[in-house]
Amino acid sequence: MIPVLNNPGQPSEGAMFENRSGDTPIFSCYRSGSVVLLKLKNNLVNAISDIDIKELMFDYFKRFTSDPSVKVIILMGAEGKKGRNEYIDFYRKVACGSLSFDKLERLYHALNQFILKLATVNKYVIHADRGQIDTIFLSMALACDYRVLATGSVYQNPYHNIGLVPKGGLAYFLPRMIGSAAASKFLLRKDDITAKEALGIKIVDRIVPPDRLEEETVKMARSIAEVPAETLFGVKKLLNLSQDDLHRVLEVESIELRRIVRSEEFRQEVTGAVERFGVRY
């Protein structure tokens, strides 16, 4: 069950999500009043390709969506992500055969489902993150309704380094948020995108000090939770009337990635990237 850390009524202003109960292989789950906090773990990309673990995660989401007392979900990124190097090392495993194409297919399918659920869930979803963030986690953020980023964080486009295309719906979300020209420029960038830049181009809504990330995000969630449920969920429903294009983008991404990762050129790109960036494994 989802642990309830405070009384179901309005929590005190200073109440925080401190109890570390409710662990799953993908996230730790907490609840305070009408706000649910999910703290992602560093093994998300590997764990989500496990069918049993994926179903556990989706079961939690089903509970949230069917519980009328839950208004806001916070999805908080894990600390210590290695961004580009972690991404390259993952695909190194694909290139050398230690991670099977079947598992990669399961991962892509699970990511598609997760992104769609985030984008269409009948709750207000806030994404908070920090550190070196690759495009998979940026996609999760853009599928949410509001984004908080810690100062000093950077977004990275590591697919450039091994000749891939981004996964997670960036080609759907970015043009709708910042326009097609700016989206193209963003997706073709090889350098890091700082938190200040991300705020400037409006792909994040707020930046806060790292040591206040959780506190400020929880405050925001409680403020949103004060909106009447019919208004909050009605607006979300109207905004999500058409998601057909998102389905199509996610499908085409998988088709392109499936083709590329089976090529000899891809294996050569990965080998070169491992050497250039000093990826340890």
Side-chain angles (χ1 to χ4, degrees), residues 5-246:
L5 305 184
N6 296 297
N7 293 329
Q10 180 66 27
S12 64
E13 182 62 29
M16 289 295 293
F17 299 80
E18 296 174 346
N19 190 346
R20 296 192 58 80
S21 61
D23 276 355
T24 77
I26 295 179
F27 52 71
S28 297
C29 181
Y30 315 83
R31 179 170 177 177
S32 176
S34 59
V35 178
V36 168
L37 170 63
L38 302 178
K39 288 187 175 182
L40 295 177
K41 298 183 178 180
N42 272 320
N43 63 343
L44 174 67
V45 172
N46 285 317
I48 199 174
S49 60
D50 183 293
I51 294 174
D52 291 336
I53 294 176
K54 182 195 75 172
E55 291 304 320
L56 173 65
M57 179 180 71
F58 290 161
D59 181 59
Y60 266 79
F61 267 80
K62 185 177 180 180
R63 296 183 206 182
F64 303 151
T65 58
S66 62
D67 185 346
S69 68
V70 174
K71 287 185 172 182
V72 183
I73 299 170
I74 300 171
L75 191 65
M76 183 161 291
E79 294 186 70
K81 293 189 296 296
K82 298 178 182 177
R84 178 183 292 107
N85 281 16
E86 189 172 20
Y87 183 97
I88 292 172
D89 185 51
F90 176 83
Y91 278 102
R92 177 195 63 79
K93 296 174 184 175
V94 175
C96 74
S98 62
L99 192 150
S100 70
F101 288 134
D102 285 344
K103 187 170 184 178
L104 186 64
E105 290 286 346
R106 291 198 299 272
L107 170 64
Y108 289 161
H109 182 65
L111 284 173
N112 288 353
Q113 290 180 293
F114 192 35
I115 294 296
L116 286 167
K117 285 182 181 295
L118 286 176
T120 60
V121 66
N122 63 336
K123 307 295 178 186
Y124 194 90
V125 186
I126 300 175
H127 188 274
D129 214 343
R130 76 206 92 184
Q132 301 176 65
I133 306 162
D134 70 37
T135 44
I136 290 176
F137 294 98
L138 173 57
S139 296
M140 293 179 189
L142 297 186
C144 298
D145 301 297
Y146 192 90
R147 287 152 291 280
V148 184
L149 190 63
T151 53
S153 300
V154 293
Y155 289 122
Q156 299 178 327
N157 291 342
Y159 53 87
H160 284 288
N161 305 120
I162 51 178
L164 294 179
V165 296
K167 181 65 190 157
L170 287 184
Y172 171 86
F173 295 115
L174 283 172
R176 286 160 177 77
M177 297 181 70
I178 62 177
S180 295
S184 177
K185 183 178 179 181
F186 183 98
L187 291 171
L188 295 176
R189 281 187 63 166
K190 293 184 178 180
D191 57 325
D192 293 350
I193 296 96
T194 66
K196 186 176 180 179
E197 286 181 282
L199 182 65
I201 62 174
K202 303 185 187 307
I203 61 171
V204 299
D205 299 286
R206 189 179 178 192
I207 54 177
V208 300
D211 61 348
R212 294 182 60 83
L213 180 64
E214 181 175 338
E215 179 181 354
E216 295 299 325
T217 303
V218 169
K219 285 182 180 179
M220 179 65 193
R222 288 177 177 158
S223 175
I224 292 293
E226 293 176 359
V227 176
E230 292 297 330
T231 301
L232 185 62
F233 302 150
V235 168
K236 184 77 183 279
K237 184 177 181 179
L238 291 171
L239 291 173
N240 288 337
L241 281 177
S242 177
Q243 294 290 343
D244 290 344
D245 288 345
L246 176 55

Side-chain angles (χ1 to χ4, degrees), residues 231-275:
T231 301
L232 185 62
F233 302 150
V235 168
K236 184 77 183 279
K237 184 177 181 179
L238 291 171
L239 291 173
N240 288 337
L241 281 177
S242 177
Q243 294 290 343
D244 290 344
D245 288 345
L246 176 55
H247 282 266
R248 180 60 178 156
V249 168
L250 292 169
E251 289 173 1
V252 173
E253 288 172 351
S254 296
I255 291 169
E256 287 300 301
L257 287 165
R258 188 181 301 124
R259 176 182 61 81
I260 296 170
V261 299
R262 286 170 167 79
S263 69
E264 179 59 32
E265 291 81 359
F266 165 72
R267 286 186 283 273
Q268 294 173 1
E269 291 280 5
V270 170
T271 299
V274 168
E275 294 174 355

